PDB file of all heavy atoms in Angstrom:
ATOM      1  N   ALA A 338      21.701  22.248  14.494  1.00 95.00           N
ATOM      2  CA  ALA A 338      21.400  23.016  15.746  1.00 95.00           C
ATOM      3  C   ALA A 338      22.014  22.340  16.941  1.00 95.00           C
ATOM      4  O   ALA A 338      22.566  22.978  17.795  1.00 95.00           O
ATOM      5  CB  ALA A 338      19.847  23.042  15.880  1.00 95.00           C
ATOM      6  N   TYR A 339      21.994  20.957  16.919  1.00 95.00           N
ATOM      7  CA  TYR A 339      22.567  20.197  18.023  1.00 95.00           C
ATOM      8  C   TYR A 339      24.073  20.410  18.081  1.00 95.00           C
ATOM      9  O   TYR A 339      24.611  20.637  19.162  1.00 95.00           O
ATOM     10  CB  TYR A 339      22.222  18.732  17.753  1.00 95.00           C
ATOM     11  CG  TYR A 339      22.604  17.792  18.880  1.00 95.00           C
ATOM     12  CD1 TYR A 339      21.728  17.602  19.926  1.00 95.00           C
ATOM     13  CD2 TYR A 339      23.869  17.143  18.880  1.00 95.00           C
ATOM     14  CE1 TYR A 339      22.056  16.743  20.970  1.00 95.00           C
ATOM     15  CE2 TYR A 339      24.180  16.320  19.937  1.00 95.00           C
ATOM     16  CZ  TYR A 339      23.281  16.076  20.931  1.00 95.00           C
ATOM     17  OH  TYR A 339      23.629  15.254  21.945  1.00 95.00           O
ATOM     18  N   VAL A 340      24.757  20.356  16.911  1.00 95.00           N
ATOM     19  CA  VAL A 340      26.188  20.499  16.900  1.00 95.00           C
ATOM     20  C   VAL A 340      26.642  21.884  17.348  1.00 95.00           C
ATOM     21  O   VAL A 340      27.559  22.015  18.154  1.00 95.00           O
ATOM     22  CB  VAL A 340      26.702  20.142  15.455  1.00 95.00           C
ATOM     23  CG1 VAL A 340      28.130  20.670  15.315  1.00 95.00           C
ATOM     24  CG2 VAL A 340      26.635  18.673  15.144  1.00 95.00           C
ATOM     25  N   PHE A 341      25.914  22.880  16.879  1.00 95.00           N
ATOM     26  CA  PHE A 341      26.246  24.213  17.246  1.00 95.00           C
ATOM     27  C   PHE A 341      26.139  24.360  18.797  1.00 95.00           C
ATOM     28  O   PHE A 341      27.036  24.881  19.453  1.00 95.00           O
ATOM     29  CB  PHE A 341      25.282  25.241  16.612  1.00 95.00           C
ATOM     30  CG  PHE A 341      25.669  26.639  16.776  1.00 95.00           C
ATOM     31  CD1 PHE A 341      26.390  27.311  15.837  1.00 95.00           C
ATOM     32  CD2 PHE A 341      25.369  27.376  17.992  1.00 95.00           C
ATOM     33  CE1 PHE A 341      26.771  28.601  16.007  1.00 95.00           C
ATOM     34  CE2 PHE A 341      25.739  28.675  18.121  1.00 95.00           C
ATOM     35  CZ  PHE A 341      26.481  29.320  17.148  1.00 95.00           C
ATOM     36  N   THR A 342      25.049  23.841  19.341  1.00 95.00           N
ATOM     37  CA  THR A 342      24.846  23.960  20.808  1.00 95.00           C
ATOM     38  C   THR A 342      25.855  23.139  21.529  1.00 95.00           C
ATOM     39  O   THR A 342      26.461  23.604  22.553  1.00 95.00           O
ATOM     40  CB  THR A 342      23.398  23.478  21.155  1.00 95.00           C
ATOM     41  OG1 THR A 342      22.523  24.016  20.243  1.00 95.00           O
ATOM     42  CG2 THR A 342      23.044  23.897  22.543  1.00 95.00           C
ATOM     43  N   LEU A 343      26.120  21.886  21.052  1.00 95.00           N
ATOM     44  CA  LEU A 343      27.050  21.020  21.743  1.00 95.00           C
ATOM     45  C   LEU A 343      28.436  21.636  21.783  1.00 95.00           C
ATOM     46  O   LEU A 343      29.067  21.709  22.789  1.00 95.00           O
ATOM     47  CB  LEU A 343      27.098  19.631  21.020  1.00 95.00           C
ATOM     48  CG  LEU A 343      28.091  18.649  21.561  1.00 95.00           C
ATOM     49  CD1 LEU A 343      27.638  18.204  22.965  1.00 95.00           C
ATOM     50  CD2 LEU A 343      28.195  17.491  20.655  1.00 95.00           C
ATOM     51  N   LEU A 344      28.887  22.107  20.564  1.00 94.00           N
ATOM     52  CA  LEU A 344      30.256  22.698  20.534  1.00 94.00           C
ATOM     53  C   LEU A 344      30.332  23.973  21.374  1.00 94.00           C
ATOM     54  O   LEU A 344      31.297  24.188  22.074  1.00 94.00           O
ATOM     55  CB  LEU A 344      30.656  22.957  19.105  1.00 94.00           C
ATOM     56  CG  LEU A 344      30.927  21.657  18.293  1.00 94.00           C
ATOM     57  CD1 LEU A 344      31.315  21.930  16.854  1.00 94.00           C
ATOM     58  CD2 LEU A 344      32.022  20.881  18.974  1.00 94.00           C
ATOM     59  N   SER A 345      29.262  24.824  21.310  1.00 94.00           N
ATOM     60  CA  SER A 345      29.258  26.015  22.156  1.00 94.00           C
ATOM     61  C   SER A 345      29.426  25.577  23.638  1.00 94.00           C
ATOM     62  O   SER A 345      30.189  26.150  24.357  1.00 94.00           O
ATOM     63  CB  SER A 345      27.992  26.795  21.943  1.00 94.00           C
ATOM     64  OG  SER A 345      27.959  27.300  20.641  1.00 94.00           O
ATOM     65  N   ALA A 346      28.674  24.548  24.009  1.00 93.00           N
ATOM     66  CA  ALA A 346      28.685  24.123  25.397  1.00 93.00           C
ATOM     67  C   ALA A 346      30.070  23.541  25.742  1.00 93.00           C
ATOM     68  O   ALA A 346      30.599  23.811  26.814  1.00 93.00           O
ATOM     69  CB  ALA A 346      27.607  23.064  25.639  1.00 93.00           C
ATOM     70  N   VAL A 347      30.653  22.814  24.807  1.00 92.00           N
ATOM     71  CA  VAL A 347      31.999  22.253  25.044  1.00 92.00           C
ATOM     72  C   VAL A 347      33.008  23.355  25.180  1.00 92.00           C
ATOM     73  O   VAL A 347      33.867  23.375  26.078  1.00 92.00           O
ATOM     74  CB  VAL A 347      32.389  21.302  23.944  1.00 92.00           C
ATOM     75  CG1 VAL A 347      33.872  20.963  23.966  1.00 92.00           C
ATOM     76  CG2 VAL A 347      31.569  20.023  23.998  1.00 92.00           C
ATOM     77  N   PHE A 348      32.903  24.391  24.326  1.00 92.00           N
ATOM     78  CA  PHE A 348      33.868  25.517  24.402  1.00 92.00           C
ATOM     79  C   PHE A 348      33.683  26.292  25.722  1.00 92.00           C
ATOM     80  O   PHE A 348      34.653  26.671  26.400  1.00 92.00           O
ATOM     81  CB  PHE A 348      33.651  26.450  23.224  1.00 92.00           C
ATOM     82  CG  PHE A 348      33.984  25.889  21.912  1.00 92.00           C
ATOM     83  CD1 PHE A 348      33.415  26.348  20.757  1.00 92.00           C
ATOM     84  CD2 PHE A 348      34.895  24.816  21.797  1.00 92.00           C
ATOM     85  CE1 PHE A 348      33.684  25.787  19.518  1.00 92.00           C
ATOM     86  CE2 PHE A 348      35.124  24.221  20.582  1.00 92.00           C
ATOM     87  CZ  PHE A 348      34.563  24.716  19.419  1.00 92.00           C
ATOM     88  N   ILE A 349      32.470  26.404  26.149  1.00 91.00           N
ATOM     89  CA  ILE A 349      32.211  27.088  27.432  1.00 91.00           C
ATOM     90  C   ILE A 349      32.773  26.252  28.564  1.00 91.00           C
ATOM     91  O   ILE A 349      33.418  26.717  29.444  1.00 91.00           O
ATOM     92  CB  ILE A 349      30.673  27.361  27.644  1.00 91.00           C
ATOM     93  CG1 ILE A 349      30.197  28.464  26.656  1.00 91.00           C
ATOM     94  CG2 ILE A 349      30.411  27.708  29.079  1.00 91.00           C
ATOM     95  CD1 ILE A 349      28.709  28.595  26.623  1.00 91.00           C
ATOM     96  N   GLY A 350      32.557  24.932  28.461  1.00 90.00           N
ATOM     97  CA  GLY A 350      33.110  23.986  29.486  1.00 90.00           C
ATOM     98  C   GLY A 350      34.630  24.085  29.492  1.00 90.00           C
ATOM     99  O   GLY A 350      35.226  24.079  30.580  1.00 90.00           O
ATOM    100  N   LEU A 351      35.237  24.265  28.371  1.00 88.00           N
ATOM    101  CA  LEU A 351      36.721  24.314  28.295  1.00 88.00           C
ATOM    102  C   LEU A 351      37.245  25.662  28.881  1.00 88.00           C
ATOM    103  O   LEU A 351      38.382  25.781  29.267  1.00 88.00           O
ATOM    104  CB  LEU A 351      37.208  24.175  26.803  1.00 88.00           C
ATOM    105  CG  LEU A 351      37.150  22.791  26.243  1.00 88.00           C
ATOM    106  CD1 LEU A 351      37.568  22.860  24.761  1.00 88.00           C
ATOM    107  CD2 LEU A 351      38.044  21.845  27.016  1.00 88.00           C
ATOM    108  N   SER A 352      36.315  26.650  28.849  1.00 88.00           N
ATOM    109  CA  SER A 352      36.809  27.971  29.383  1.00 88.00           C
ATOM    110  C   SER A 352      36.708  27.976  30.892  1.00 88.00           C
ATOM    111  O   SER A 352      37.006  29.014  31.542  1.00 88.00           O
ATOM    112  CB  SER A 352      35.886  29.107  28.823  1.00 88.00           C
ATOM    113  OG  SER A 352      34.623  29.109  29.447  1.00 88.00           O
ATOM    114  N   ARG A 353      36.339  26.905  31.506  1.00 83.00           N
ATOM    115  CA  ARG A 353      36.237  26.771  32.913  1.00 83.00           C
ATOM    116  C   ARG A 353      36.953  25.588  33.411  1.00 83.00           C
ATOM    117  O   ARG A 353      36.367  24.719  34.040  1.00 83.00           O
ATOM    118  CB  ARG A 353      34.795  26.761  33.428  1.00 83.00           C
ATOM    119  CG  ARG A 353      33.851  27.654  32.587  1.00 83.00           C
ATOM    120  CD  ARG A 353      32.389  27.441  32.963  1.00 83.00           C
ATOM    121  NE  ARG A 353      32.243  27.528  34.372  1.00 83.00           N
ATOM    122  CZ  ARG A 353      32.213  28.672  35.013  1.00 83.00           C
ATOM    123  NH1 ARG A 353      32.388  29.785  34.359  1.00 83.00           N
ATOM    124  NH2 ARG A 353      32.037  28.708  36.271  1.00 83.00           N
ATOM    125  N   PRO A 354      38.295  25.526  33.129  1.00 79.00           N
ATOM    126  CA  PRO A 354      39.008  24.308  33.567  1.00 79.00           C
ATOM    127  C   PRO A 354      38.996  24.192  35.082  1.00 79.00           C
ATOM    128  O   PRO A 354      39.002  25.214  35.756  1.00 79.00           O
ATOM    129  CB  PRO A 354      40.442  24.487  33.036  1.00 79.00           C
ATOM    130  CG  PRO A 354      40.419  25.757  32.305  1.00 79.00           C
ATOM    131  CD  PRO A 354      39.220  26.540  32.577  1.00 79.00           C
ATOM    132  N   ALA A 355      39.010  22.954  35.575  1.00 71.00           N
ATOM    133  CA  ALA A 355      39.006  22.753  36.977  1.00 71.00           C
ATOM    134  C   ALA A 355      40.299  23.237  37.617  1.00 71.00           C
ATOM    135  O   ALA A 355      41.336  23.241  36.993  1.00 71.00           O
ATOM    136  CB  ALA A 355      38.789  21.267  37.331  1.00 71.00           C
ATOM    137  N   ALA A 356      40.235  23.572  38.909  1.00 57.00           N
ATOM    138  CA  ALA A 356      41.389  24.211  39.609  1.00 57.00           C
ATOM    139  C   ALA A 356      42.460  23.117  39.821  1.00 57.00           C
ATOM    140  O   ALA A 356      43.619  23.477  39.936  1.00 57.00           O
ATOM    141  CB  ALA A 356      40.924  24.805  40.888  1.00 57.00           C
TER     142      ALA A 356
END
Side-chain angles (χ1 to χ4, degrees):
Chain A
Y339 187 87
V340 164
F341 189 97
T342 315
L343 177 68
L344 289 179
S345 295
V347 167
F348 296 154
I349 288 169
L351 287 176
S352 76
R353 321 171 53 75

